[in-house]
Amino acid sequence: MPEEKLLCKGLVDRIGEEDALIDYQNKQDQKNFKEVAEIKDHEFALKKVIQLIEDEEIGVIHNANEIELIGHRIVHGGTYFSNPRLLSDEVLSKIEEVTPLAPLHNPHNLKGVQVTQTLFPNARQVGVFDTAFHQSIPEKAYRYAIPKDLADDNGIRVYGFHGTSHRYIANQTAEFLDKPIQETSLISLHLGNGCSMAAVKNGQCIDTSMGFSPLDGLVMGSRSGDIDPAIVVFLQDKLKMTSAEIDQLLNKKSGLIGLCGTNDLREIISMAEGGDSNAELALDIYCYRIQKYIGAYLAVTGPLDAIVFTAGVGENSSLIRAKCLTGLEHLGISFDSDQNELASGTKASFQVKNSKVKLLVLPTDEELAIAKASYRVANE
Ligand code: AMP
């Protein structure tokens, strides 16, 4: 930084398991390393990372002490953080305090911070919160219509997630359209394995589809998205399901997996092309939900500059983009089929000339967004 030159990238997946995956790519001379091995905890994982980045053959630095700054993705910042922060003891205790709101994420994020503090003693640490971009959502949009005291006492409200990606996409859109971010309004569609949308008015997020948890909103790879809450009570009463079973059902066994057996949209598309009616219906439901949210957000953003598609599905699937946008011509939204085909995997617009709203594909890059935010905070 600040040149944003990528030296290496990688992933340690399934920490705590015997078949964890270590994937490392040296981006300077394209030397890669892949291994499936037991990684017992975060400390072990990061020691492995240090070995790789210092390695004489495939490494990119001589000594891990050269690293001056570490940016952490922190899933939940509660209502405390609307911007990235240096991870002081005070900030860390706030992250700890909101752990009950993200029991599956924040403890691991904190563990990562704790380990990097020991292993990289010269580095400053910055937290970039997935919830932060959504802190500008007005109360009429973030409050659920349940008793106010109950909601306030327990922190039950819309928080929204994927904020680092939506903020990055908002800034990228402003740059692409050559407009100041304060004058740019868009609907951002982050369609990956997790899916969410954000309504952004004049650079500020005013609504988002994920809510109290990442389970709400769009149909996702394995999450249901919106359902009537009475279904949960019904499952408890009628089928005697426990809260853990319902949690598992809605987070891991629903969405596209629940509808047609797989969460990989490439596979679903080819199943549908082969005449599989469950796959066809899954695609219909997935895109119909997105269309409903586009309609809702068009109503609240006012004049819109762009609808922007990003993440694995949004960036790569012209079919999904077309299915989400077909029939919206009466709203001033018309796409060009050829441009849509060409837009996959690039940074491009694909609306027809007289479309009132621009239609864009912009690749998201959460790691770069975290690196930029961390660099900015450390130099303030
Ligand atoms: P992400 O979570 O952003 O890595 O996105 C993962 C999702 O992107 C998976 O469900 C993939 O099936 C999907 N994906 C990647 N490439 C394509 C493609 N060409 N067409 C449809 N879906 C894709």
Side-chain angles (χ1 to χ4, degrees):
M1 300 297 279
E3 292 84 4
E4 298 175 15
K5 191 165 130 196
L6 181 64
L7 299 178
C8 65
K9 69 181 292 183
L11 179 78
V12 185
D13 205 9
R14 296 198 292 272
I15 291 175
E17 304 284 324
E18 278 177 12
D19 61 345
L21 173 74
I22 304 132
D23 183 1
Y24 169 86
Q25 300 158 28
N26 174 327
K27 289 289 177 187
Q28 296 298 288
D29 30 17
Q30 307 302 329
K31 290 179 181 155
N32 299 339
F33 174 88
K34 234 181 198 175
E35 187 182 50
V36 175
E38 180 177 4
I39 298 281
K40 60 180 191 327
D41 56 22
H42 290 73
E43 184 174 348
F44 195 85
L46 275 155
K47 282 184 173 161
K48 188 87 196 169
V49 171
I50 292 176
Q51 259 176 27
L52 287 164
I53 58 176
E54 286 181 345
D55 188 88
E56 274 193 12
E57 280 281 306
I58 59 171
V60 287
I61 53 173
H62 295 296
N63 192 306
N65 283 336
E66 289 169 42
I67 291 175
E68 293 170 63
L69 190 59
I70 296 183
H72 294 264
R73 176 187 185 209
I74 309 282
V75 166
H76 217 305
T79 53
Y80 290 121
F81 307 110
S82 49
N83 279 301
R85 297 287 288 274
L86 274 172
L87 291 172
S88 62
D89 289 345
E90 192 196 335
V91 171
L92 288 171
S93 70
K94 294 258 183 339
I95 298 171
E96 174 94 55
E97 193 186 311
V98 300
T99 288
L101 299 172
L104 299 179
H105 294 101
N106 276 25
H108 300 290
N109 297 158
L110 282 168
K111 189 82 198 158
V113 176
Q114 196 189 2
V115 172
T116 45
Q117 277 175 335
T118 323
L119 297 181
F120 300 85
N122 294 339
R124 285 195 289 167
Q125 320 268 340
V126 175
V128 182
F129 301 90
D130 249 20
T131 46
F133 183 54
H134 306 303
Q135 279 297 300
S136 52
I137 293 176
E139 190 167 358
K140 65 184 175 191
Y142 76 63
R143 189 173 278 285
Y144 295 111
I146 58 174
K148 189 170 179 305
D149 289 349
L150 178 93
D152 290 343
D153 293 349
N154 295 285
I156 301 173
R157 49 160 284 172
V158 168
Y159 291 101
F161 299 87
H162 287 152
T164 308
S165 175
H166 288 302
R167 193 196 298 264
Y168 180 78
I169 290 300
N171 285 316
Q172 288 285 302
T173 303
E175 206 173 281
F176 190 90
L177 301 177
D178 203 17
K179 281 186 87 169
I181 179 72
Q182 300 83 350
E183 293 169 21
T184 304
S185 296
L186 62 140
I187 297 174
S188 163
L189 286 90
H190 180 112
L191 308 178
N193 197 30
C195 300
S196 71
M197 288 172 61
V200 181
K201 183 173 185 167
N202 297 326
Q204 299 268 306
C205 182
I206 59 161
D207 208 347
T208 193
S209 60
M210 284 178 169
F212 174 70
S213 81
L215 185 54
D216 209 8
L218 303 181
V219 175
M220 312 183 208
S222 64
R223 297 188 194 124
S224 63
D226 294 341
I227 60 163
D228 182 341
I231 295 171
V232 173
V233 182
F234 180 82
L235 292 172
Q236 283 173 324
D237 288 350
K238 174 103 197 305
L239 301 184
K240 308 291 174 220
M241 288 178 76
T242 64
S243 60
E245 285 166 346
I246 297 174
D247 191 59
Q248 184 79 357
L249 173 84
L250 297 177
N251 276 295
K252 302 272 184 219
K253 298 183 188 161
S254 297
L256 295 169
I257 285 198
L259 290 168
C260 69
T262 169
N263 62 347
D264 190 326
L265 263 164
R266 284 163 293 201
E267 211 179 316
I268 299 172
I269 290 167
S270 73
M271 280 158 63
E273 283 166 355
D276 183 316
S277 59
N278 287 337
E280 269 174 45
L281 183 62
L283 291 178
D284 283 348
I285 295 172
Y286 181 90
C287 295
Y288 178 72
R289 185 81 53 88
I290 292 169
Q291 277 200 330
K292 281 213 295 194
Y293 272 88
I294 290 177
Y297 288 171
L298 270 173
V300 295
T301 51
L304 195 68
D305 294 295
I307 296 176
V308 190
F309 289 81
T310 195
V313 180
E315 289 167 31
N316 295 306
S317 178
S318 54
L319 182 134
I320 295 290
R321 293 193 298 269
K323 228 170 143 47
C324 293
L325 296 170
T326 297
L328 304 185
E329 295 77 11
H330 64 293
L331 298 169
I333 299 166
S334 303
F335 67 96
D336 178 298
S337 298
D338 295 338
Q339 297 293 333
N340 182 31
E341 293 294 329
L342 294 172
S344 289
T346 66
K347 236 184 204 187
S349 62
F350 62 97
Q351 72 283 348
V352 298
K353 265 213 184 87
N354 63 355
S355 175
K356 278 200 204 136
V357 178
K358 297 218 164 45
L359 303 169
L360 309 181
V361 173
L362 296 174
T364 193
D365 190 337
E366 285 174 294
E367 284 89 352
L368 177 59
I370 291 171
K372 282 166 90 147
S374 303
Y375 187 76
R376 201 175 51 246
V377 172
N379 289 292
E380 268 168 9

